[in-house]
Amino acid sequence: MTMEEPMMKKEVYKSKVYTERPAYADFDAPEKFQAIQSIIAKRLREHPNAICSYSGGADSDIMVDVIERTRAVFSLPPIKYVFFNTGLEMRATKDHVKVTAAKYGIEIEECRPKIGIVTAARTYGIPFVSKIMSAGLSEWQKKGVPLSIAEEYEQAEDKAAKRQELRERYPKCESVINFLCCCNSAGEPRPNIQLVINSSKYMRDFIGECPPDFQISAKCCDYCKKQLAHRVQKGYDMIITGERRAEGGMRSVPRKDNTALCFGETASGQFRLRPLYYVTDADKAWYKDYYGVRYSDAYEVYGLTRTGCCGCPISHKAVDDLELIRPYEPNVVKAAWNIFGKSYEYRAKYNEYKEARRQAELETKKRKKADG
């Protein structure tokens, strides 16, 4: 390349979640929350028959505070609040739900799934690394598509043709092929998105060398939360949730009901509002300090930074968090290990594998540099 030639930058694929950001997403915290209040007020006036999922976690605490302040400022009618108890919840969370209800003078109804977390995990499998990874690996286990197709795809000069050939060879395996080959259905490489196996480094090599000896699945979340939510939310015009893009994982992947203002119509004809979607961790910290919001003891006493299903293996800190919980709630820690123990152990093995690979690559680079 000559000095006159422009430097060619590597094109990085970005989803519409990143490219269609609303202006308020980049506001400083005070102005951002003012914008969020305006959005909440507008949507509650349009759809007053609304239901809001409250988890007892930090995001939910901020969301409820924003909603209730907005309701007071704009004289809006009350909304329905629900708490989904999966069957593996900390006492700290359940107690905090009651404290929050009393603080704001609202009712938070506790709802339980028809299929509990123990039954769901034993029947369908347990999560590993993330919901996206769990879904992909679950399909891989079911379909039996060999990992070697990824090497075939990578070595193919005409990737679109190879993708078509794989489609014909493995019918009804579209998502698994894309997942393993890190591409889309047209055969275009998509190595930088979260929906592919190598979004977790060396994962494809790891499961090839150390196949899992347990069933992987994120169905426990479907049965204990999603299906329960669909049943409880039926009959309401608008569903409000505290999802934030900054949490990553499935929450940062574009979906049909993700729009620029975190508001859209679902397949059921209901509307979904995610008022905190563009709220960052720094925004949350500012809000908590400014308005004096107190989180549950799980945060303030135990020292957790996130809550949810206790010990869920999707969290990379699950085992460490369980040790923080143990002095206060040993029984729930024991239950989590009984349900998710194999996933914890497999993740530890994966972490060791990653570190060994990283060290080997560093040594290779050093040798090449020395030889050069």
Side-chain angles (χ1 to χ4, degrees):
M1 183 181 69
T2 65
M3 293 296 292
E4 290 77 14
E5 291 176 330
M7 293 291 291
M8 298 298 291
K9 291 184 179 180
K10 184 178 179 181
E11 183 179 355
V12 178
Y13 173 79
K14 289 188 176 181
S15 73
K16 67 179 183 180
V17 167
Y18 296 88
T19 59
E20 297 181 7
R21 291 167 61 84
Y24 80 88
D26 298 312
F27 288 179
D28 290 335
E31 291 77 17
K32 181 180 289 187
F33 282 105
Q34 286 179 5
I36 290 171
Q37 280 196 324
S38 298
I39 292 169
I40 292 172
K42 173 180 171 62
R43 299 308 179 184
L44 280 179
R45 281 197 171 129
E46 294 172 343
H47 311 286
N49 182 28
I51 184 169
C52 179
S53 297
Y54 175 73
S55 70
D59 291 349
S60 282
D61 283 335
I62 299 296
M63 178 177 63
V64 169
D65 196 84
V66 173
I67 290 174
E68 290 305 306
R69 288 180 186 279
T70 303
R71 283 188 53 240
V73 170
F74 292 92
S75 301
L76 299 169
I79 63 175
K80 175 76 173 181
Y81 287 102
V82 289
F83 165 63
F84 301 132
N85 187 336
T86 65
L88 191 61
E89 304 289 345
M90 288 177 285
R91 183 181 65 251
T93 298
K94 292 183 284 189
D95 289 347
H96 188 63
V97 172
K98 297 175 183 177
V99 169
T100 301
K103 175 182 178 180
Y104 297 102
I106 57 177
E107 179 186 358
I108 303 177
E109 181 183 352
E110 181 179 302
C111 305
R112 288 179 173 267
K114 293 180 179 179
I115 298 178
I117 196 164
V118 175
T119 302
R122 287 176 177 172
T123 304
Y124 302 102
I126 54 180
F128 174 64
V129 174
S130 70
K131 289 182 184 178
I132 293 173
M133 191 60 61
S134 299
L137 292 179
S138 176
E139 284 299 297
W140 167 68
Q141 287 179 319
K142 290 176 185 175
K143 303 288 187 180
V145 177
L147 297 176
S148 58
I149 67 167
E151 189 174 350
E152 288 185 47
Y153 171 80
E154 288 167 0
Q155 292 177 353
E157 291 186 12
D158 188 339
K159 294 194 177 335
K162 172 54 68 173
R163 182 64 183 79
Q164 178 60 31
E165 189 269 318
L166 291 172
R167 178 182 290 112
E168 295 168 359
R169 195 194 315 172
Y170 301 104
K172 299 182 180 179
C173 295
E174 286 291 290
S175 62
V176 183
I177 296 170
N178 291 347
F179 176 70
L180 294 177
C181 296
C182 302
C183 67
N184 62 17
S185 295
E188 299 168 328
R190 288 289 182 262
N192 297 318
I193 63 173
Q194 294 188 42
L195 297 174
V196 299
I197 191 168
N198 282 348
S199 59
S200 292
K201 200 165 187 178
Y202 310 123
M203 181 63 75
R204 193 167 59 207
D205 294 341
F206 172 69
I207 64 171
E209 296 179 33
C210 309
D213 63 354
F214 63 97
Q215 194 171 356
I216 297 173
S217 174
K219 285 288 186 181
C220 55
C221 187
D222 289 340
Y223 282 96
C224 298
K225 286 190 175 181
K226 290 184 180 179
Q227 290 191 17
L228 173 61
H230 291 160
R231 173 164 56 86
V232 172
Q233 293 164 351
K234 189 176 181 181
Y236 289 88
D237 298 331
M238 185 168 68
I239 302 163
I240 307 173
T241 58
E243 297 166 72
R244 293 190 306 123
R245 185 182 66 81
E247 292 179 276
M250 289 296 290
R251 289 173 171 83
S252 64
V253 175
R255 301 188 307 218
K256 290 182 179 179
D257 58 350
N258 257 354
T259 63
L261 291 178
C262 318
F263 176 81
E265 188 171 1
T266 68
S268 65
Q270 295 170 300
F271 295 92
R272 184 178 294 278
L273 175 64
R274 303 180 183 89
L276 304 188
Y277 195 70
Y278 290 104
V279 169
T280 66
D281 291 344
D283 296 332
K284 271 181 59 182
W286 174 87
Y287 193 97
K288 182 183 191 299
D289 181 65
Y290 188 82
Y291 288 105
V293 176
R294 189 186 189 281
Y295 298 151
S296 78
D297 283 353
Y299 297 87
E300 308 281 1
V301 178
Y302 303 179
L304 302 182
T305 55
R306 289 186 69 172
T307 59
C309 291
C310 183
C312 178
I314 285 174
S315 170
H316 71 281
K317 300 194 304 176
V319 173
D320 292 337
D321 284 349
L322 288 176
E323 291 310 305
L324 293 176
I325 298 167
R326 191 185 295 278
Y328 306 96
E329 303 188 41
N331 288 338
V332 77
V333 173
K334 182 179 179 181
W337 268 99
N338 286 337
I339 297 169
F340 301 126
K342 278 189 171 290
S343 185
Y344 299 153
E345 292 164 356
Y346 195 52
R347 184 153 192 164
K349 187 182 292 187
Y350 169 56
N351 289 341
E352 291 173 3
Y353 180 89
K354 281 195 299 181
E355 181 58 21
R357 284 285 300 269
R358 189 182 74 84
Q359 290 295 338
E361 289 181 0
L362 285 175
E363 288 301 320
T364 300
K365 288 180 180 178
K366 287 178 182 178
R367 285 198 300 270
K368 286 183 177 179
K369 186 175 181 180
D371 294 341

